[in-house]
Amino acid sequence: MYRSFRASASALALAVAATCSFSVSAQSVQVSCTGVSDWDPASAYSTGTQVTEGAQRYTANWWNQNTLPSTHSGEWGEWSLDGDCLPEFHEVVIEKELMIRDLSVVDSEHAISGALSWKHLIEQMMPQENPTDAEKEAFVLHWLNSFLNQQVINEDVVPARPDIGPLFIEPWRGVSLSMSEGTSDALNFDIDLFRLLAIVYRPDLHQRDADGNVISGGEARFIYSFNQPASGGSLPAKVIFEYGLEASSEEELLAWAEAFHALGALEFGEQFNQQLIELTGRFTGKNAVPHKPNGSALNQLRTNELPFDAPWQLREFKLSAETGLLEPATVAQTPAGSLNGTQLFADYVNSAEAEILDGSYIVPLTFAGQPLLGGFSDVEFGAFAAPVSDWDGPGIVNNEARHIVSLNTCNGCHGTETNTSFSHVVEREQGQVAELSPFMTGVVRNFATGEDDPFFVQDPVTGELRQFQELADREFILSCLLEACMNSAAVQPRALRSFSPVINSDAARYKELMHSRRARAH
């Protein structure tokens, strides 16, 4: 499919930036110049008119004529420079727009100590405008120390993970003491504690209400691995910062899509990094979303790890409006592990079958007067280190409903339902690119032929084969957003459809993919 930018893209992207209270220099961005005329000295231009000159786009600040944009732009000039012109057309580039893992990004100084680093994200989500090291230590330790003590979340007993102390927190303090030459044991935030694996755009997680109105632009995520503080080597443990992209209209949804799509026109390097920093700053920056806790766009922070205790475990944290700190929360769409295989779980699936099949279900805190959502999610491993975490229960009527609920749990997604050995983005050492699971890539290596085969997974209950190609599906969704193929009447809410909707193959596939993602949280 041929992908294109709409002419209004850059104006919308700048509108999103303004909405998110993020200041950006026009010279650092690339914008669409599709349909914009070249500047003409004989023409008169009214306020807001756009022109191009020398592969750059300008907007008139007020009426003017015969004033060259490049020499009359700035705070008091007749023109404002919007940015450099993008190539008019390019296809979606997964590696630059949806799953960014290139070493020029993840091993850059920006990722180690700058605007793409974990500590920058922590500073930006804290309530203090310019947090001190002591305030950062208190904030981070409140999060990490939660692993050291047993907790109860929605009546689910969450066990302690004691080895985070000797494996991570205590060595961090020890290295900090050594770096200060014994003068202070305050935690040093210049230590490379978390290694950036990938920056991910999730357009497939955008949401609409029952009337079809946009209520979310999706999510963007930063994935890091835990490092050993003393050696810098990676641990089999990860933390994911998951940010909501604010959007309440088709135009704002498209603005996010086109802002990430703009990255695909750039070569990897410093220009790409600066454009990425400008874009991610719109949702990671201070007060990006004033109505959320601490003004942060963070939806949730998730961890998954093995070394701090057995078995492999996933947890979720949210910023508290009361404390301003990262507090443990229930794990999204995932019942308590003790309910797997029980009649309560089966009864829930059967009672919610219609909502599960249409993708509108949300696993509630309680069901039938009993707690349902869990406070953590474990992934058990069987023979040959194969994950065995799928969800089932006695008397489930519809296996497709069972599969959907299981797939959307933390441990189902990272286990049997996707035949994944837990990690979809694998930890890496410096200088290595993070590997992806077959669930993400859609292919698996056939060692007999040396070729890649399509990735199929056998249903753990019926044996039915299901094909997964997650990144290709996200690519199609982004492409569809850019081309507005979903505006076919076939994918509009029932109240907005004509009596004779025209269904095309792209719209139908888009509708099917988004239907399958309505309940996604992972």
Side-chain angles (χ1 to χ4, degrees):
M1 184 188 298
Y2 199 55
R3 319 296 178 205
S4 66
F5 266 70
R6 280 173 41 174
S8 60
S10 54
L12 295 173
L14 292 175
V16 170
T19 300
C20 296
S21 303
F22 187 82
S23 176
V24 54
S25 167
Q27 289 88 338
S28 68
V29 301
Q30 290 201 320
V31 296
S32 172
C33 297
T34 303
V36 180
S37 300
D38 291 338
W39 176 77
D40 179 6
S43 298
Y45 297 101
S46 59
T47 303
T49 303
Q50 294 178 342
V51 299
T52 59
E53 182 210 338
Q56 292 182 314
R57 198 189 73 190
Y58 296 82
T59 298
N61 292 325
W62 52 78
W63 187 95
N64 69 86
Q65 185 176 21
N66 197 26
T67 52
L68 187 67
S70 58
T71 58
H72 292 77
S73 64
E75 184 177 3
W76 305 110
E78 285 85 347
W79 298 94
S80 292
L81 173 60
D82 299 328
D84 297 330
C85 291
L86 279 164
E88 287 198 9
F89 304 102
H90 70 273
E91 294 190 1
V92 170
V93 183
I94 290 175
E95 296 79 7
K96 295 180 179 179
E97 304 172 34
L98 295 170
M99 178 65 71
I100 303 169
R101 297 174 295 142
D102 194 82
L103 294 180
S104 65
V105 177
V106 298
D107 274 352
S108 70
E109 285 302 313
H110 306 296
I112 296 171
S113 59
L116 304 179
S117 67
W118 72 275
K119 64 180 180 181
H120 177 78
L121 300 188
I122 290 290
E123 292 166 354
Q124 297 305 297
M125 73 175 63
M126 290 177 63
Q128 298 86 356
E129 184 64 30
N130 295 293
T132 64
D133 282 351
E135 290 169 333
K136 286 187 284 187
E137 178 172 333
F139 184 90
V140 172
L141 283 184
H142 183 83
W143 162 48
L144 294 177
N145 284 339
S146 69
F147 287 87
L148 293 173
N149 303 301
Q150 177 178 289
Q151 302 167 63
V152 178
I153 302 175
N154 195 33
E155 299 189 33
D156 192 18
V157 178
V158 182
R161 306 283 282 183
D163 286 347
I164 194 173
L167 282 178
F168 191 76
I169 300 174
E170 294 165 21
W172 182 9
R173 195 172 295 282
V175 174
S176 299
L177 179 64
S178 176
M179 291 179 68
S180 72
E181 298 182 342
T183 61
S184 172
D185 65 352
L187 296 179
N188 188 313
F189 283 83
D190 291 329
I191 299 171
D192 188 16
L193 293 171
F194 296 91
R195 177 169 294 121
L196 182 60
L197 306 181
I199 298 174
V200 183
Y201 171 43
R202 295 293 304 272
D204 58 305
L205 296 184
H206 79 269
Q207 296 178 348
R208 300 173 187 271
D209 63 18
D211 295 321
N213 301 309
V214 173
I215 57 175
S216 163
E219 284 191 350
R221 301 176 173 182
F222 284 70
I223 306 175
Y224 300 87
S225 63
F226 283 72
N227 288 347
Q228 297 171 330
S231 68
S234 64
L235 291 166
K238 286 177 282 294
V239 57
I240 309 175
F241 296 72
E242 301 181 352
Y243 294 89
L245 303 179
E246 293 286 294
S248 57
S249 67
E250 298 291 342
E251 290 76 16
E252 290 177 344
L253 172 61
L254 178 62
W256 286 117
E258 292 191 322
F260 276 94
H261 185 47
L263 295 171
L266 303 175
E267 296 299 322
F268 283 119
E270 190 55 25
Q271 183 184 9
F272 181 95
N273 289 346
Q274 289 299 326
Q275 187 88 352
L276 179 62
I277 289 168
E278 183 278 320
L279 172 55
T280 56
R282 300 179 195 175
F283 53 83
T284 63
K286 285 283 184 185
N287 209 36
V289 186
H291 64 83
K292 293 177 69 172
N294 296 355
S296 173
L298 188 80
N299 281 347
Q300 59 275 325
L301 180 146
R302 290 196 175 105
T303 59
N304 59 70
E305 47 78 23
L306 174 64
F308 305 144
D309 203 359
W312 212 304
Q313 189 177 92
L314 302 100
R315 296 192 180 196
E316 185 166 326
F317 302 82
K318 292 181 182 291
L319 286 171
S320 167
E322 289 74 32
T323 67
L325 300 172
L326 286 166
E327 305 286 3
T330 53
V331 281
Q333 298 288 64
T334 307
S338 60
L339 299 178
N340 196 355
T342 67
Q343 191 63 55
L344 182 69
F345 175 71
D347 289 345
Y348 166 69
V349 173
N350 289 336
S351 68
E353 179 181 327
E355 292 81 8
I356 292 168
L357 293 178
D358 74 14
S360 64
Y361 82 100
I362 297 175
V363 177
L365 277 173
T366 63
F367 173 73
Q370 299 185 55
L372 185 59
L373 268 184
F376 68 104
S377 182
D378 282 347
V379 177
E380 301 284 353
F381 287 85
F384 309 108
V388 291
S389 53
D390 58 280
W391 283 81
D392 200 1
I396 290 179
V397 175
N398 190 315
N399 184 65
E400 185 63 20
R402 181 215 64 80
H403 163 71
I404 291 170
V405 173
S406 184
L407 176 65
N408 288 332
T409 63
C410 295
N411 44 8
C413 178
H414 287 263
T416 311
E417 294 294 343
T418 63
N419 194 23
T420 297
S421 295
F422 197 81
S423 292
H424 290 304
V425 181
V426 182
E427 62 272 7
R428 68 183 185 90
E429 301 299 334
Q430 189 171 18
Q432 297 177 343
V433 176
E435 295 183 3
L436 303 177
S437 69
F439 170 78
M440 299 296 297
T441 64
V443 297
V444 62
R445 178 54 58 96
N446 184 324
F447 291 104
T449 65
E451 302 293 330
D452 287 335
D453 291 339
F455 180 61
F456 289 90
V457 176
Q458 192 173 49
D459 185 283
V461 174
T462 66
E464 171 190 355
L465 289 179
R466 291 186 174 88
Q467 184 177 5
F468 292 103
Q469 47 178 16
E470 183 65 16
L471 282 177
D473 289 344
R474 295 179 195 176
E475 175 192 19
F476 182 85
I477 289 169
L478 176 54
S479 300
C480 231
L481 287 174
L482 294 167
E483 292 198 339
C485 71
M486 72 291 188
N487 285 342
S488 162
V491 298
Q492 293 296 326
R494 189 182 306 274
L496 302 180
R497 295 179 192 169
S498 66
F499 289 105
S500 301
V502 177
I503 302 176
N504 62 62
S505 59
D506 285 344
R509 182 183 175 196
Y510 174 87
K511 180 181 179 181
E512 180 181 358
L513 287 175
M514 288 307 301
H515 175 272
S516 71
R517 281 161 169 73
R518 290 181 68 189
R520 286 281 179 94
H522 304 101

